[in-house]
């Protein structure tokens, strides 16, 4: 795989993480670049590790990961999104009540949910001549960059939609999960 293909793959793998990051950024009270970078690093590390895990599992586990990755991602993102929507509806939410940051575990779970498909990609890469470590690092870096930008975009969106940011963020996560599921089931080509 050449450098251009690796970079294209990396940015393609990070689009769902970008969308989730916009939702995460929208739910925060004016997130700063430090929070955006923290979120980007967490997502990027996870997105870099999952293809390595998939690659290590190789052919034996590829059929199982591929068979279930979209359902797992959908389920996790749906639950996280539903939780955000419930919180947005139960708390009419005053701007000052928005958190300044998300917990590590919420970010890690969201990052994992958006990167499960990278495990299947890693398993597929085990069968071609590719430097998996540089490919995984490129995927991780692209995700870090896209998520950092996504959180800052979410800041603008959050300021525009005000107290409904939590609901919109939840809808974005459910939407990302639904797109992942629809793509893998063949409804989107």
């Amino acid at each position: 795989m050449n450098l251009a293909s690796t970079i294209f793959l990396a940015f393609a793998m990070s689009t769902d993480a970008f969308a989730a990051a916009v939702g995460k950024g929208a739910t925060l009270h004016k997130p700063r670049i430090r929070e955006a970078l923290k979120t980007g690093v967490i997502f990027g590390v996870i997105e870099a590790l999952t293809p390595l895990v998939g690659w290590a599992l190789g052919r034996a586990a590829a059929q199982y990961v591929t068979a279930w990755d979209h359902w797992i991602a959908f389920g996790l993102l749906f639950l996280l999104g539903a939780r955000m929507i419930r919180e947005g509806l139960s708390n009419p939410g005053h701007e000052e009540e928005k958190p300044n940051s998300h917990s590590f575990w919420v970010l890690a779970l969201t990052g994992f949910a958006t990167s499960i498909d990278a495990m299947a990609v890693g398993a597929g890469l085990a069968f071609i001549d590719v430097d998996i470590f540089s490919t995984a690092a490129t995927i991780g870096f692209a995700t870090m960059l896209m998520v950092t930008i996504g959180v800052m975009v979410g800041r603008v969106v959050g300021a525009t939609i005000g107290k409904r940011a939590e609901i919109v963020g939840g809808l974005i996560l459910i939407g990302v999960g639904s797109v992942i599921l629809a793509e893998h089931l063949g409804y989107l080509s």
Side-chain angles (χ1 to χ4, degrees):
M1 192 158 66
N2 64 28
L3 180 61
S5 297
T6 302
I7 292 171
F8 179 77
L9 172 68
F11 280 100
M13 296 296 303
S14 66
T15 56
D16 52 352
F18 172 80
V22 171
K24 290 295 184 191
T27 64
L28 294 176
H29 177 73
K30 297 181 183 176
R32 301 206 185 285
I33 191 70
R34 182 176 177 175
E35 179 66 20
L37 283 170
K38 176 184 97 172
T39 305
V41 167
I42 291 169
F43 274 62
V45 167
I46 292 169
E47 192 82 23
L49 290 175
T50 52
L52 291 173
V53 170
W55 182 81
L57 294 173
R59 188 178 297 262
Q63 66 187 20
Y64 303 111
V65 172
T66 304
W68 293 98
D69 66 346
H70 50 284
W71 288 105
I72 295 168
F74 172 75
L76 289 172
L77 290 171
F78 183 86
L79 290 173
L80 286 168
R83 179 177 159 255
M84 289 172 67
I85 291 169
R86 187 191 71 212
E87 289 175 6
L89 291 173
S90 68
N91 179 4
H94 304 295
E95 185 69 21
E96 63 272 9
E97 291 183 17
K98 290 172 99 177
N100 290 320
S101 66
H102 292 292
S103 75
F104 169 82
W105 294 110
V106 166
L107 294 176
L109 185 59
T110 307
F112 180 72
T114 61
S115 69
I116 291 173
D117 57 341
M119 193 177 303
V121 168
L125 292 176
F127 306 110
I128 62 172
D129 184 26
V130 64
D131 178 359
I132 190 62
F133 296 105
S134 66
T135 301
T138 304
I139 291 170
F141 180 76
T143 301
M144 183 191 76
L145 181 64
M146 295 290 286
V147 167
T148 300
I149 292 168
V151 170
M152 297 313 288
V153 167
R155 174 187 172 129
V156 173
V157 172
T160 303
I161 61 177
K163 64 182 181 178
R164 299 290 178 219
E166 193 89 24
I167 296 167
V168 171
L171 290 171
I172 288 172
L173 289 182
I174 291 171
V176 168
S178 298
V179 168
I180 290 170
L181 184 62
E183 284 175 344
H184 284 270
L185 294 177
Y187 295 120
L188 301 176
S189 298

